[in-house]
């Protein structure tokens, strides 16, 4: 299960956010190939948000001296 420390940190899943960013970029790529530039833009934005979340979580963890 999730450790008590992580349960307090809502949404603390840097690995999951990294996977979500990669998946969103893949979907954006497929949308581009299909000529669906509106969908490409949507998923590119989702990827950027997931990357930002992962980076913020990693930075918080680094400030605390955690690995």
């Amino acid at each position: 299960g999730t450790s008590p420390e992580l349960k307090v940190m809502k949404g603390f899943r840097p690995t999951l956010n990294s996977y979500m960013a990669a998946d969103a970029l893949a979907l954006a790529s497929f949308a581009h190939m299909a000529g669906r530039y509106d969908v490409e833009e949507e998923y590119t934005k989702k990827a950027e948000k997931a990357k930002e979340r992962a980076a913020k979580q990693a930075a918080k963890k680094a400030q605390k001296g955690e690995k």
Side-chain angles (χ1 to χ4, degrees), residues 12 55-67:
F12 184 78
K56 284 180 185 178
Q57 290 166 344
K60 284 181 185 179
K61 196 172 183 181
Q63 283 180 336
K64 292 181 180 183
E66 300 174 5
K67 289 186 176 186

Side-chain angles (χ1 to χ4, degrees), residues 20-21 23-32 36-51 53:
M20 289 173 62
D23 289 346
L25 284 175
L27 290 169
S29 179
F30 285 122
H32 178 83
R36 293 293 310 273
Y37 304 112
D38 57 325
V39 176
E40 176 189 15
E41 183 179 352
E42 175 186 349
Y43 279 92
T44 298
K45 287 178 183 178
K46 288 182 181 193
E48 289 170 2
K49 287 180 184 180
K51 283 182 188 180
R53 283 192 302 269

